[in-house]
Amino acid sequence: MKRKVGILISGRGSNMAALIAAARNPDYPAEIACVLSNRPAAPGLSLADKAGIATIGLDHNDHASRESFDEAMNAALIASGVDLVACAGFMRLMSDAFVNAWAGRMINIHPSILPLFKGVDTHDRALEAGMRVHGCSVHFTTPELDAGPIIAQAVVPVLPGDDAKTLAARVLTAEHRLYPAALGLVASDKAVLAGNRVRLEASIDEAQRLWSPDLE
Ligand code: GRF
């Protein structure tokens, strides 16, 4: 039985598109049940619609409080039969009650090697810090922003002459590979929340280790 995933977005939805593409593989352990956006005009929502996925536009401005919006979001996800939630550029803080209701069943992608550079402007901050490598992380969500247990990470080099735009593009390419892989691990119970860590049952291919600069 495939796990049913609800994807939460706010914008262009390129990670969402990567998850939808991965889920087209008959061997993938999850199917995308719906895509929900707090911005009904989000370009990602029309992308999902064109891909034949059920879409839900739920404007947070129509709700008097965060809690009331989150309750509506929760009801919509449950009505769609969702049992896993994947946040993909969902630019909205979520209430503790919502996050706790989905504990161990909701994941997020963040454009940095966590726990470095939580929050926004991660690429500028990585450059400012003189990082040689940068990357992205997929983690279980917890009430504290970008602080949940890490499922998987990908690393890219920071190259001479990079600016935030070129670096963001390199990280995004890694995101599009990492997120489907990480969701696949969770959907097949190969990555399981165990306290404040993630127990990983998948074997790690040593050839996939990344070094930058490559000195070998
Ligand atoms: C990505 O960089 C993701 O890591 C961050 O927001 C961005 C969303 O981009 N959380 P997209 O909408 O998936 O293209």
Side-chain angles (χ1 to χ4, degrees), residues 7 9 12-24 35 44 47-48 51 88 176 180:
I7 304 178
I9 64 164
R12 68 186 164 188
S14 71
N15 278 288
M16 170 210 78
L19 296 179
I20 290 174
R24 288 216 177 92
V35 174
L47 262 185
H176 296 162

Side-chain angles (χ1 to χ4, degrees), residues 9-17 87-91 108-112 123 136-137 168 171-172 175-176:
I9 64 164
S10 299
R12 68 186 164 188
S14 71
N15 278 288
M16 170 210 78
C87 304
F90 186 64
M91 304 304 284
N108 178 48
I109 186 155
H110 181 74
S112 79
H123 310 301
C136 49
S137 307
V171 171
L172 195 64
E175 291 185 44
H176 296 162

Side-chain angles (χ1 to χ4, degrees), residues 69-216:
F69 172 75
D70 285 1
E71 276 165 26
M73 189 160 64
N74 194 46
L77 291 169
I78 289 169
S80 301
V82 164
D83 48 24
L84 279 179
V85 176
C87 304
F90 186 64
M91 304 304 284
R92 201 175 153 74
L93 294 175
M94 299 179 282
S95 58
D96 288 8
F98 180 81
V99 175
N100 290 333
W102 291 94
R105 299 184 301 145
M106 179 157 67
I107 66 179
N108 178 48
I109 186 155
H110 181 74
S112 79
I113 306 166
L114 289 171
L116 290 171
F117 313 126
K118 295 172 184 172
V120 296
D121 298 331
T122 58
H123 310 301
D124 286 305
R125 287 151 67 206
L127 288 169
E128 181 62 31
M131 297 287 289
R132 291 291 187 210
V133 293
H134 184 39
C136 49
S137 307
V138 178
H139 63 93
F140 283 105
T141 53
T142 54
E144 195 187 334
L145 188 69
D146 301 331
I150 294 164
I151 300 160
Q153 295 180 305
V155 175
V156 301
V158 178
L159 299 178
D162 264 341
D163 56 22
K165 211 172 154 203
T166 57
L167 188 53
R170 195 173 306 120
V171 171
L172 195 64
T173 303
E175 291 185 44
H176 296 162
R177 292 178 60 204
L178 185 72
Y179 209 3
L183 176 62
L185 289 178
V186 174
S188 55
D189 292 322
K190 289 178 179 161
V192 179
L193 185 62
N196 56 5
R197 298 281 295 271
V198 174
R199 199 177 54 244
L200 211 55
E201 287 172 25
S203 62
I204 292 163
D205 180 356
E206 287 197 23
Q208 288 180 351
R209 285 180 309 167
L210 287 171
W211 295 84
S212 178
D214 187 353
L215 302 176
E216 291 181 41

